Amino acid sequence: MLPPSVQQQERNVVKVEERHAFVLTANGNPVLYIQNLQGDWAERPLSPTSDSTVCYVDTLEGRWVNRFYAFPSCRGRVLIPDMERAVDSLLEETNRRLPDILRHQRDVIRKKEKKYSQLTDELDYYLEANNVTDEGYNTIATYATYALRYRQRLRQALHVLDSLLPTDTLHISRIHHHTLLLPHSSTLSEESKRSSDSTTLRVSCHDDGPQKPGQAYRRIQADNRETPQGAFARFFAKPSLNETSFPTSHELPEFVYTGEMKNGKREGHGMYIDREGCYYNGQWENGKRNGFGCDVDSAGRVRVGEWKDDRFLGQRLTYTEERIYGIDISRYQHDIGKKHYAINWPQVRISHLGTISKKKVHGTVDYPVSFCFIKVTEGITIRNNYFASDYASARKQGIRVGCYHFFSTKSSASEQAQFFIRNARFSKGDMPPVLDVEPTDAQIRAMGGAEAMFNRIRVWMKAVEKHCGQKPILYVGQNFVNKYLVNAPDIKRDYQVWIARYGEYKPDVRLAFWQLCPDGRVKGIVGTVDINVFNGYRDQYDDFLERYTIK
């Protein structure tokens, strides 16, 4: 018999898609599908069901082959390298140590699930405080969908592993499925063509008989039992196949970057994601984050805004009439120099957001005042004589009112709380009370340090909460947050924060309100006024009122 010509050898080759994964069975029943056994399973897709996202996809090079020697008997049969042999030793070792491996993988998955729970919580917080009009919102929403699905898979896998019993008979094996990838010009029946897409004919396959021990190849057959016209099937049962040319494991890269490059460095727009879930989608310059970008770091922090040389500057808000604005006032809105001024409450509207920092404003600044915090007391002796009239007038105009106390470092926290309670008002629907904390570094040292200060803050907060039934809000400056608040995680966790930051960027922490300028202008009020913005939009504000106002 003459050897096949070059043309016949080319027509002998066929592309085969192999989808493969590993399955954990308990008492013979499949309970968990794993993409790859090597490394930590949490790095790979996991699922209690055999769906396509778990399978790894390889493209193999197969050969058309006849079943019988010297007799045309192809009928869609193909020989492919047998990848099963390449993982036999891995499966044998895995099954030998399976109980220990499962315990280890369960611990790894539990840690990963906890991390992604924290991450999705941060992503939800960002999405609740922003909407589609904010730059970067859609990018974060897309990533949040991915993170949520990944967390759900981890939870499902963890539930399976936690449900296994010591009496279960456990085993891991490899599963696979093959599909012929034929050029559209292949001549098949009309029914077969209708079942494929317009660019590639995909023909599902099954194993053609049991695999013989020691064989380096596997014989499969098209489910439709058709051989395309022009295909050349060899008349040997054992053609030479190079099994080592196909990967037996799929190592995850340290990171994946898709985007523009220049001189070997990231430049322009690109997306980066690594094994730890660190993610950045935005502008790059000379290999560093520069310009606008959306970032999620290894700690789960979500940062959307402007970057400079890999340092996050902050989120620059666009101020529109859709946002919720408010003011805070004291006697200084009445007593300016030696003159006294009344507030014309029916005219009160925000007309300017100050000039201390740049602000991106869409349209004209003419915003209603949705809330107003009024100073009541300071320390244990100072009272705002205008509080009662301003409180009544603001409520009459339908403005949500809240009371605040200026914290003194020189008097007892419990005495300050009682002094505030005696002079404040807590009517149904009012905003939560506020503790205004603005000590200098020297004052904090004189108190005995940050921990002593936070202990006094806790005393004030608990006393006021007990009286009015709502947790107070903590008002602090950005520098206080950066330097001191990190030392009081319970306060950050248990109380809402109102932050004063007069730069162009929004504070990079969780907060309820942001005091964005001290030099705003309000119709009906003489002089400058502190302008504040709620961290969210109407739906989130309505939820805040429902949950946190005085009952």
Side-chain angles (χ1 to χ4, degrees):
M1 183 178 295
L2 294 175
S5 66
V6 173
Q7 291 79 10
Q8 288 174 326
Q9 291 182 48
E10 291 175 350
R11 289 188 284 119
N12 180 240
V13 176
V14 59
K15 296 294 183 183
V16 181
E17 177 187 270
E18 179 178 77
R19 292 179 174 268
H20 54 92
F22 296 90
V23 59
L24 170 67
T25 58
N27 304 320
N29 300 312
V31 293
L32 186 64
Y33 293 84
I34 310 131
Q35 188 183 86
N36 198 304
L37 297 181
Q38 295 175 317
D40 291 335
W41 296 355
E43 301 287 349
R44 306 302 181 97
L46 298 162
S47 176
T49 59
S50 178
D51 59 64
S52 59
T53 60
V54 175
C55 294
Y56 201 96
V57 181
D58 279 325
T59 300
L60 311 180
E61 193 174 84
R63 303 287 189 272
W64 296 108
V65 65
N66 289 298
R67 180 179 182 186
F68 302 109
Y69 180 76
F71 182 73
S73 50
C74 181
R75 300 193 66 189
R77 290 185 175 87
V78 174
L79 282 185
I80 58 172
D82 180 28
M83 307 306 296
E84 204 80 42
R85 297 180 69 229
V87 298
D88 280 349
S89 59
L90 174 63
L91 282 171
E92 182 179 354
E93 176 65 14
T94 299
N95 281 302
R96 185 179 68 82
R97 300 178 49 245
L98 192 53
D100 292 337
I101 289 174
L102 291 180
R103 278 192 293 270
H104 168 74
Q105 296 295 350
R106 181 181 57 195
D107 292 341
V108 171
I109 292 171
R110 181 173 285 112
K111 291 178 181 177
K112 196 82 168 184
E113 192 277 333
K114 182 179 179 180
K115 176 179 178 179
Y116 268 79
S117 293
Q118 295 170 342
L119 171 59
T120 53
D121 183 52
E122 289 295 320
L123 291 166
D124 287 345
Y125 169 76
Y126 171 85
L127 294 175
E128 288 175 0
N130 296 269
N131 69 13
V132 293
T133 64
D134 294 308
E135 190 176 8
Y137 180 89
N138 289 333
T139 299
I140 291 298
T142 300
Y143 184 76
T145 300
Y146 153 78
L148 178 61
R149 290 175 178 170
Y150 184 57
R151 187 193 73 180
Q152 289 172 337
R153 285 185 175 275
L154 292 174
R155 283 186 172 179
Q156 290 172 340
L158 194 58
H159 175 73
V160 168
L161 296 178
D162 285 340
S163 300
L164 296 176
L165 302 175
T167 55
D168 289 337
T169 301
L170 305 174
H171 185 75
I172 287 185
S173 57
R174 181 174 177 269
I175 57 173
H176 59 263
H177 180 76
H178 298 98
T179 303
L180 301 181
L181 305 178
L182 307 176
H184 190 252
S185 59
S186 300
T187 303
L188 295 176
S189 67
E190 290 302 316
E191 181 180 354
S192 296
K193 286 188 176 183
R194 283 196 297 271
S195 66
S196 301
D197 59 45
S198 59
T199 58
T200 302
L201 299 177
R202 299 175 59 86
V203 180
S204 184
C205 299
H206 58 269
D207 285 345
D208 183 39
Q211 181 73 4
K212 296 180 180 179
Q215 285 185 334
Y217 56 87
R218 177 181 297 275
R219 191 168 67 193
I220 60 176
Q221 183 177 21
D223 288 348
N224 58 22
R225 298 176 181 269
E226 296 183 41
T227 305
Q229 184 177 357
F232 178 75
R234 292 192 177 190
F235 291 123
F236 337 136
K238 300 178 181 180
S240 174
L241 291 172
N242 182 8
E243 64 171 324
T244 61
S245 63
F246 302 101
T248 58
S249 66
H250 307 278
E251 291 300 323
L252 287 178
E254 292 294 326
F255 66 88
V256 174
Y257 172 78
T258 52
E260 302 171 52
M261 300 282 289
K262 183 178 179 181
N263 298 327
K265 294 184 178 181
R266 300 166 199 150
E267 187 80 18
H269 187 273
M271 183 181 73
Y272 167 100
I273 188 168
D274 66 18
R275 289 185 182 182
E276 297 302 316
C278 296
Y279 169 82
Y280 177 80
N281 191 336
Q283 292 299 121
W284 301 80
E285 184 178 319
N286 198 30
K288 295 181 179 181
R289 292 167 289 185
N290 267 291
F292 184 85
C294 305
D295 174 88
V296 179
D297 67 10
S298 59
R301 289 185 303 170
V302 179
R303 297 175 292 183
V304 178
E306 296 182 14
W307 295 77
K308 181 67 175 178
D309 292 334
D310 268 343
R311 184 172 68 89
F312 182 60
L313 300 179
Q315 180 183 7
R316 192 195 304 272
L317 296 188
T318 298
Y319 298 97
T320 69
E321 60 183 11
E322 293 181 337
R323 295 192 181 278
I324 312 299
Y325 302 91
I327 60 176
D328 60 274
I329 61 175
S330 65
R331 72 176 183 86
Y332 295 109
Q333 276 64 52
H334 294 277
D335 298 333
I336 303 175
K338 295 182 179 181
K339 294 184 178 181
H340 168 75
Y341 299 92
I343 294 178
N344 189 339
W345 285 100
Q347 291 186 4
V348 165
R349 286 182 74 88
I350 296 170
S351 58
H352 199 278
L353 299 181
T355 57
I356 286 182
S357 64
K358 297 178 182 178
K359 295 179 178 66
K360 186 178 179 181
V361 177
H362 180 74
T364 303
V365 177
D366 183 23
Y367 308 141
V369 173
S370 297
F371 57 89
C372 176
F373 288 97
I374 307 173
K375 182 176 180 179
V376 181
T377 50
E378 178 177 339
I380 58 174
T381 59
I382 300 174
R383 290 181 291 188
N384 174 15
N385 294 328
Y386 302 102
F387 165 70
S389 60
D390 284 341
Y391 176 90
S393 298
R395 281 179 59 90
K396 186 177 181 180
Q397 297 303 316
I399 298 172
R400 294 277 183 168
V401 179
C403 304
Y404 78 88
H405 171 81
F406 191 93
F407 185 73
S408 170
T409 62
K410 296 181 178 180
S411 53
S412 160
S414 59
E415 288 181 331
Q416 290 188 61
Q418 295 307 315
F419 182 58
F420 172 71
I421 290 169
R422 288 196 303 271
N423 290 279
R425 295 188 183 179
F426 307 102
S427 301
K428 183 177 180 180
D430 281 355
M431 287 293 199
V434 175
L435 179 62
D436 181 348
V437 179
E438 303 181 46
T440 65
D441 292 343
Q443 288 174 326
I444 293 174
R445 288 194 296 271
M447 295 175 68
E451 185 55 36
M453 172 187 64
F454 283 121
N455 285 337
R456 296 193 194 184
I457 289 173
R458 293 182 184 98
V459 169
W460 192 98
M461 294 289 215
K462 291 176 181 178
V464 173
E465 178 185 356
K466 183 178 180 180
H467 176 81
C468 70
Q470 280 291 1
K471 288 182 178 294
I473 296 172
L474 178 66
Y475 171 95
V476 289
Q478 181 69 57
N479 290 335
F480 184 94
V481 172
N482 298 341
K483 193 169 184 178
Y484 295 109
L485 195 56
V486 67
N487 298 314
D490 61 312
I491 291 178
K492 287 180 64 176
R493 180 190 66 239
D494 298 337
Y495 297 98
Q496 308 227 33
V497 178
W498 175 12
I499 295 177
R501 184 183 186 185
Y502 304 143
E504 55 192 305
Y505 300 110
K506 175 183 174 181
D508 184 26
V509 293
R510 289 199 176 202
L511 72 163
F513 301 97
W514 172 22
Q515 189 180 87
L516 56 97
C517 74
D519 60 337
R521 294 287 180 173
V522 176
K523 295 176 184 177
I525 301 179
V526 177
T528 59
V529 184
D530 295 339
I531 308 297
N532 303 274
V533 61
F534 174 75
N535 189 29
Y537 287 90
R538 177 56 58 181
D539 287 348
Q540 290 74 38
Y541 183 66
D542 290 343
D543 180 65
F544 177 91
L545 297 178
E546 177 67 26
R547 296 173 62 186
Y548 299 113
T549 52
I550 302 297
K551 300 298 186 282

